[in-house]
Amino acid sequence: GHPYVNVDLLSPPGITRAASLNLVPSRLAEYVSTPLLHTVSDSIFTSSDQGRLFVIVRHPIERAVASYHHLVKSDPFHEGMTLEDYARSPYAEGDWMTRFLSGHEGGGEVTEAHASMAKEVLRRKAAVGLYEEMDDSLRRMRAYFGWDIPMADGSQSKAFAEQQYASCQRQVMTGPAGSHGDGSQSVSDSDALKARSHDNMALREGDAAYALLSERNRYDLELYRYARTLFARQADLPISLAEEIKPKDETKQWPPSRNCVENGRFSA
């Protein structure tokens, strides 16, 4: 298996514990993933131990439909629930991405102020990926963080390492070897995810469930459109930045004067 650090960044107590264990200064973890962006930023990163932010954004209605399918498949109690039933239920998410980026994860109404803050976080603090453009998003992520593909030994060729990386990536994103269950292979991660997205987007704009989910996620829909604009604008950003600021000496910090996308430090 792969090495990992045994900390929980999914809850405030877990984040507090990670901070007390000096998770970031220890350099034991290459990356962290959390739904509590603001709490993690305020707790485990400092001006001398800064983080960089990469966000992969998915179409809100597609995301909601995928959540519905997961719910009915994982819980027999909801087996007979229709998508419209789900859209009317308290289980349906509402503006999750806006809440996540604005620090408004709890209950309460989402406002224009939260939406504006979420956009500003994406614009100033994050390199943006798109779920339906996963191939390009993952390439950008590798370049942005300066991640190299590990070589098992000196005899392994770069081409073989790239092939192994691509196979591993397919398994993570689409199942073993990119299989669709019928023996066919994925052309790419994005093609497989787009096919999956098409299945999840069986709704049409005139459908009642679509209208209900759109109303619940109206700020997220706006944020998604904005994220697509940023994705296009950042097309050549990560590679140039990674080359410019990646430390030659791993013990050195990135320039502390850099901010926003340049170093990913969340609290400017």
Side-chain angles (χ1 to χ4, degrees), residues 140-190:
R140 294 186 189 194
M141 186 183 292
R142 281 177 57 191
Y144 185 56
F145 288 111
W147 287 340
D148 293 323
I149 296 176
M151 308 291 279
D153 56 59
S155 63
Q156 188 183 57
S157 69
K158 181 72 172 177
F160 180 76
E162 288 280 357
Q163 185 180 26
Q164 291 293 99
Y165 169 82
S167 175
C168 178
Q169 180 174 301
R170 282 196 302 271
Q171 290 185 47
V172 171
M173 300 306 302
T174 64
S179 171
H180 296 296
D182 58 0
S184 62
Q185 301 295 308
S186 301
V187 174
S188 70
D189 298 330
S190 289

Side-chain angles (χ1 to χ4, degrees), residues 208-221:
Y210 192 102
L212 289 166
L213 291 172
S214 295
E215 179 58 28
R216 279 179 176 261
N217 293 278
R218 63 192 185 99
Y219 289 119
D220 269 14
L221 285 166

Side-chain angles (χ1 to χ4, degrees), residues 76-198:
F77 180 78
H78 300 291
E79 189 174 351
M81 177 182 281
T82 67
L83 188 52
E84 185 173 340
D85 291 337
Y86 171 79
R88 297 181 185 278
S89 78
Y91 299 104
E93 59 189 47
D95 289 317
W96 180 86
M97 182 62 72
T98 302
R99 293 177 183 275
F100 167 72
L101 291 171
S102 66
H104 190 56
E105 296 98 344
E109 181 183 2
V110 178
T111 66
E112 288 285 352
H114 296 120
S116 296
M117 183 175 183
K119 287 181 180 179
E120 191 69 355
V121 168
L122 280 187
R123 184 182 72 83
R124 297 181 57 219
K125 308 295 186 181
V128 177
L130 296 176
Y131 182 88
E132 65 270 25
E133 300 293 344
M134 190 61 73
D135 285 338
D136 194 13
S137 297
L138 292 178
R139 278 194 295 269
R140 294 186 189 194
M141 186 183 292
R142 281 177 57 191
Y144 185 56
F145 288 111
W147 287 340
D148 293 323
I149 296 176
M151 308 291 279
D153 56 59
S155 63
Q156 188 183 57
S157 69
K158 181 72 172 177
F160 180 76
E162 288 280 357
Q163 185 180 26
Q164 291 293 99
Y165 169 82
S167 175
C168 178
Q169 180 174 301
R170 282 196 302 271
Q171 290 185 47
V172 171
M173 300 306 302
T174 64
S179 171
H180 296 296
D182 58 0
S184 62
Q185 301 295 308
S186 301
V187 174
S188 70
D189 298 330
S190 289
D191 288 341
L193 291 174
K194 285 175 182 176
R196 187 183 301 169
S197 298
H198 178 74

Side-chain angles (χ1 to χ4, degrees), residues 236-258:
D236 63 348
L237 182 62
I239 292 177
S240 61
L241 277 181
E243 291 303 315
E244 179 184 353
I245 72 174
K246 183 179 178 182
K248 303 297 182 184
D249 181 347
E250 296 250 345
T251 63
K252 293 182 179 178
Q253 300 295 321
W254 286 324
S257 61
R258 290 191 172 277

